Amino acid sequence: MCSRVAERPEGRPLPEGASARESSFDTRVGLRVFSATACHLLSRDLEAPSPEGTQGSRPSSALCRADVAQQFQFAVRVIGSNFAPTVERDEFLVAEKIKKELIRQRREADAALFSELHRKLHSQGVLKNKWSILYLLLNLSEDPRRQANKVSNYATLFAQALPRDAHSTPYYYARPQTLPLNYQDRGTQAVQSSGSLGSSGISSISMCALGGPAPPPQPLLPGQSHQTLGVGDCLRQQLGSRLAWTLTANQPSSQTPPSKGTPNAVSRSMTRSRREGETGGAVEITEAALVRDILYVFQGIDGKNIKMSNTENCYKVEGKANLSKSLRDTAVRLAELGWLHNKIRKYTDQRSLDRSFGLVGQSFCAALHQELKEYYRLLSVLHSQLQLEDDQGVNLGLESSLTLRRLLVWTYDPKIRLKTLAALVDHCQGRKGGELASAVHAYTRTGDPYMRSLVQHILSLVSHPVLSFLYRWIYDGELEDTYHEFFVASDPTVKTDRLWHDKYTLRKSMIPSFMTMDQSRKVLLIGKSINFLHQVCHDQTPTTKMIAVTKSAEPPQDAADLFTDLENAFQGKIDAAYFETSKYLLDVLNKKYSLLDHMQAMRRYLLLGQGDFIRHLMDLLKPELVRPATTLYQHNLTGILETAVRATNAQFDSPEILRRLDVRLLEVSPGDTGWDVFSLDYHVDGPIATVFTRECMSHYLRVFNFLWRAKRMEYILTDIRKGHMCNAKLLRNMPELSGVLHQCHILASEMVHFIHQMQYYITFEVLECSWDELWNRVQQAQDLDHIIAAHEAFLDTITSRCLLDSGSRVLLNQLRAVFDQIIELQNAQDAIYRAALEELQRRLQFEEKKKQHEIEGQWGVTAAEEEEENRRIREFQESIPKMCSQLQILTHFYQGIVQQFLVLLTTSSDESLRFLSFRLDFNEHYKAREPRLRVSLGTRGRRSAHM
Amino acid sequence: MVSGSGAGALASAAANLNAVRETMDVNLEISRILNTGLDMETLSICVRLCEQGINPEALSSSIKELRKVTEALKAPENMTSYLETS
């Protein structure tokens, strides 16, 4: 067996072409040579003790033959696995390591000898793979002082089960559990496999870890500059410690093994050293291993010993690992960073695919990514630090080594950052757009300046899209909000005529919390005004012209620093834009569309402000309107209207207003006369229709109807009065009629008083007061909404004061009844007058006839004629009491109704109505008749108020 | 020319052999310093393997492994032999 090896000439020239650099080493040749080595080793070692116990060794060596074969096979596999060397192929680096190792063993003389030998070796060009040989020798070197416990270590190692399944893949054998490959290999493998996971940040780190001599870590973050300091220290301290070693080497006390006498830090570094990893128990995890694991866990990758526990949703050190409690605790504390990282990463990964998440969400994700990138930078720095230590091999710079405690300190700040981010992510779950910005804003209210600046930074990124929406909106009136994130919502189905009222609304949930409700209302108004000008008023003035002042003052792009002084600049800008835009809009409406003129026209025509016109119109319309409603024709009435306009002061109004004036016939119900269906109308369209909406116009029509009716009552009473005046003289010689006529007068006067007071109330207390208020408010209005609100308030007031609202329906019914009584009186009086005048006519005829007969010289009257005359007179006189009683009934009804009305008025909650009751019953005429009115007004009002 | 070249080749071969021997001496010395426990034969085999481009890590680990195994095999033998001699 051995002879075969011995036959080979040692100095045989090496085969060319076996490139030393190539890791794929010629397996066939290599195996043959190696088999020789293995045989040599095994046989020599086994047979060495045989001289001592020849008999005993025989059976045992035969027994072990199978084991030997297996070991051989296994060794061949290890060699044959194309397992690339992971160490740096640098002869000098290896030589340095050897020197360090020797120095560590306190063999400075040997170290000097070695460097001499190495120099010699280097000068000869025979060997190509010098580093390889040196490395091999280094790996095989033994510390002579530890020979003592070597056997026991081997024994414990061997106690571990060797892998029995020899048919597994070679790769598996390349790193079996018990194979004491140094840790570095495994670490690098893990890095390689992790690099394939594809996360950009992680792969960049693994690149960094694999790449040759680790680049000096750069100061990437201002907050982490202490790390660079650490590296610098490390180099300095290496020199220092080398000196220290040489100094202490002379002292006798230093002869004690460093693992015993030296302080804790030294022993820790010893555990970190590779040899300890080889000889120690495989299950025991060194701190170095934990540090490596932790660095992966930081990136959310399971380490060898620290794994994500899905059930408990946290990282745990594997239970069976043999680890001191403090290390375990520290590791778990550090692993929290990985958990936080995972959480943030999961959020951003989920959201980055979600298209509907919107711009705000995207910028939030971008901000998170930015933070994660910083975090990855830190990790890469840590990795390169670790790499640097590995390259230096034996760690002399004790202070600079990467320990769990050091990591704990270094990751303190990043941990706070990640914690804040994770909390943000939690808080922002399921939110988007302005809501998300509010959620982030809520986190800026923290007392910790560090956290606050972080969140503020994120907020400035998150709010950037919101602000760009905002500026587009308030400066251009454009709404490009594909994902419904902005707090102004637009309804595309709304037509331009309802643009102001319905098209744009505030999305309450999307208002960022740094905007007040008032601000957002203004923002809505600004954009709405611009759109209104463009679309409804067809005003194409560029917006820059409208609000030239503000825009030139500050470009809208500097969104980020805008939030630093939200209170002043932002508010000021919105206010300025609001003020300018609204002012411009009102100017356009007033000048181009003469909004205020139209408002006044409404008052003059629909609210009967133009007295001469209304009176004349009524005069002209009277013959038409007494006819049944079905026989009316709009064109006739329109003609009359035009005549009335031409004849009165209305003709001086602008044609623009008169053009809009029209007649309208309401729906006809059976029995209606023209009075019931006639109505004036005012056409509104274009921009002013925004103020005079359809509802407004219907209000106007109702009020007009009421006023028209009241006006007609006045008109009727005037007619009645006229009849009195005309007929008084005629009927003077019919003394029997005087009682009836007196009654008639009294009732008519009562009605006139009533109607006059009502008219006074309506004209002065309702219309004029409200109008004055409206006018003031319109003059002071800052935006169109103010005008609309004032106008609506005006309409509401006059509707309710004119008893047209639902609350005063009873009053209105009473009033209608009063009006009916007036019409009744008119009819009754007309009938009386007709009868009286007819009677008068007959009597005159009779007298005339009598005179004529006398002139003719005949008898004035014959008996028959006189009889006839007397009978007629008697009949007439008999009809007078009937008239009287009719009037009395009328009076009774009327007074009853008025009393009822007064009672209702006094119990009304409206003060002006209660005062109206005073005026109607100024001399307590009704109070005397109606017991319910006798109760004092104050108590009654109060009681009703309580009720 | 041919003989000259042959003589040159011979001389160079001799020089080469010399250099190789020297190199091996140096290697042996280093090995001794580092206390690797390799004898001349094993060392030469290892050197040749390394020149072939073997992974030194793998080689070293397998050598250690083999050593451990032999150690472990030897231990009971020693025990038994000790028992027998006593």
Side-chain angles (χ1 to χ4, degrees), chain A residues 575-769:
Chain A
D575 279 353
Y578 161 76
F579 188 71
E580 299 280 333
T581 317
S582 301
K583 194 161 160 266
Y584 184 80
L585 174 63
L586 289 188
D587 274 0
V588 168
L589 279 180
N590 282 341
K591 299 216 173 89
K592 198 166 161 194
Y593 294 97
S594 45
L595 176 71
L596 296 185
D597 291 347
H598 285 296
M599 209 173 266
Q600 276 177 320
M602 290 277 184
R603 171 171 163 262
R604 281 214 302 275
Y605 297 110
L606 292 188
L607 303 182
L608 314 186
Q610 185 84 23
D612 60 336
F613 164 76
I614 295 296
R615 174 77 202 193
H616 191 64
L617 181 68
M618 213 170 245
D619 282 343
L620 293 177
L621 279 175
K622 193 184 162 195
E624 286 282 326
L625 292 185
V626 290
R627 284 157 42 185
T630 41
T631 61
L632 288 180
Y633 294 102
Q634 181 131 11
H635 51 266
N636 291 345
L637 299 176
T638 315
I640 293 169
L641 177 71
E642 272 170 26
T643 317
V645 167
R646 271 200 301 276
T648 59
N649 275 325
Q651 61 181 304
F652 303 114
D653 253 337
S654 81
E656 168 69 15
I657 287 167
L658 295 178
R659 193 174 53 78
R660 291 167 185 269
L661 203 57
D662 197 9
V663 167
R664 180 166 175 171
L665 293 177
L666 306 178
E667 277 178 50
V668 177
S669 48
D672 278 353
T673 62
W675 290 108
D676 296 315
V677 293
F678 175 81
S679 173
L680 273 183
D681 198 6
Y682 197 83
H683 292 295
V684 282
D685 53 13
I688 57 163
T690 301
V691 180
F692 305 109
T693 56
R694 203 159 290 165
E695 299 90 74
C696 287
M697 291 320 289
S698 74
H699 274 116
Y700 269 118
L701 285 188
R702 283 180 68 199
V703 174
F704 172 82
N705 247 316
F706 173 77
L707 295 176
W708 183 251
R709 197 180 291 267
K711 189 82 188 164
R712 185 186 159 214
M713 292 308 129
E714 199 184 273
Y715 191 79
I716 288 172
L717 286 173
T718 322
D719 273 358
I720 291 174
R721 184 84 185 148
K722 239 191 266 172
H724 287 166
M725 303 298 281
C726 293
N727 298 329
K729 272 184 184 171
L730 292 176
L731 299 177
R732 195 177 291 158
N733 43 8
M734 287 178 78
E736 67 269 32
L737 214 57
S738 64
V740 179
L741 288 181
H742 182 66
Q743 225 173 349
C744 224
H745 283 189
I746 289 174
L747 185 55
S749 308
E750 224 177 299
M751 285 174 175
V752 166
H753 168 72
F754 183 88
I755 290 300
H756 273 182
Q757 291 308 322
M758 274 313 287
Q759 283 289 27
Y760 171 84
Y761 166 75
I762 290 167
T763 317
F764 293 102
E765 296 200 351
V766 178
L767 292 181
E768 286 303 325
C769 290

Side-chain angles (χ1 to χ4, degrees), chain A residues 766-926:
Chain A
V766 178
L767 292 181
E768 286 303 325
C769 290
S770 308
W771 175 257
D772 184 58
E773 203 174 312
L774 169 69
W775 200 245
N776 280 336
R777 284 173 70 179
V778 165
Q779 294 296 337
Q780 288 165 3
Q782 281 186 325
D783 60 46
L784 189 54
D785 263 356
H786 288 166
I787 290 185
I788 292 175
H791 185 244
E792 273 172 2
F794 166 72
L795 274 183
D796 276 353
T797 319
I798 60 173
T799 324
S800 67
R801 293 263 180 95
C802 289
L803 313 175
L804 290 173
D805 56 347
S806 55
S808 33
R809 185 155 292 158
V810 194
L811 269 174
L812 186 66
N813 284 341
Q814 289 298 319
L815 197 61
R816 284 264 167 88
V818 171
F819 289 170
D820 286 346
Q821 294 302 314
I822 292 172
I823 294 171
E824 199 90 338
L825 173 68
Q826 188 195 25
N827 293 338
Q829 191 182 298
D830 278 355
I832 291 168
Y833 277 134
R834 214 165 26 242
L837 288 177
E838 201 178 332
E839 178 63 27
L840 189 67
Q841 199 70 28
R842 294 259 171 87
R843 283 188 195 176
L844 284 178
Q845 276 176 359
F846 181 74
E847 290 298 321
E848 198 116 329
K849 217 189 253 173
K850 213 160 68 174
K851 272 183 192 159
Q852 211 165 358
H853 282 292
E854 278 172 6
I855 292 166
E856 285 170 8
Q858 293 170 5
W859 290 106
V861 282
T862 59
E865 274 174 345
E866 195 158 4
E867 179 66 21
E868 171 75 8
E869 177 71 12
N870 287 338
R871 192 184 53 79
R872 198 176 43 80
I873 288 174
R874 207 163 45 244
E875 266 178 23
F876 176 69
Q877 281 170 343
E878 274 166 12
S879 75
I880 287 174
K882 225 172 98 190
M883 288 176 198
C884 261
S885 60
Q886 194 191 351
L887 277 176
Q888 258 168 1
I889 290 168
L890 199 60
T891 312
H892 182 75
F893 270 128
Y894 172 76
Q895 287 188 338
I897 291 165
V898 170
Q899 277 161 20
Q900 186 66 32
F901 185 67
L902 285 174
V903 169
L904 286 173
L905 279 185
T906 50
T907 55
S908 162
S909 56
D910 193 340
E911 211 155 72
S912 60
L913 285 178
R914 269 186 269 154
F915 290 143
L916 173 66
S917 82
F918 274 127
R919 270 199 296 275
L920 289 176
D921 192 18
F922 71 101
N923 55 0
E924 301 188 340
H925 171 73
Y926 297 106

Side-chain angles (χ1 to χ4, degrees), chain A residues 72-180:
Chain A
F72 172 67
Q73 204 178 16
F74 164 61
V76 166
R77 283 222 173 96
V78 171
I79 297 293
S81 61
N82 281 338
F83 174 41
T86 52
V87 289
E88 182 53 32
R89 295 161 171 170
D90 188 348
E91 185 189 340
F92 289 99
L93 202 68
V94 181
E96 276 305 304
K97 281 188 183 175
I98 292 174
K99 277 185 220 164
K100 275 181 209 156
E101 179 65 21
L102 288 175
I103 288 168
R104 202 179 61 79
Q105 294 171 11
R106 315 272 164 94
R107 288 158 57 189
E108 284 77 18
D110 283 349
L113 189 58
F114 167 74
S115 49
E116 178 62 25
L117 285 170
H118 179 236
R119 196 188 51 74
K120 238 188 240 172
L121 190 66
H122 193 63
S123 64
Q124 283 169 343
V126 178
L127 295 178
K128 287 195 193 71
N129 277 354
K130 293 189 200 85
W131 76 270
S132 176
I133 296 162
L134 287 177
Y135 189 86
L136 174 72
L137 294 177
L138 172 65
N139 265 5
L140 288 174
S141 78
E142 297 278 347
D143 192 340
R145 287 167 301 167
R146 273 190 292 152
Q147 289 288 6
N149 54 358
K150 189 175 139 192
V151 176
S152 63
N153 276 348
Y154 284 169
T156 53
L157 244 182
F158 197 67
Q160 302 287 318
L162 285 166
R164 291 280 160 186
D165 43 348
H167 300 290
S168 300
T169 58
Y171 186 74
Y172 172 79
Y173 273 103
R175 16 178 250 159
Q177 293 291 303
T178 49
L179 186 65

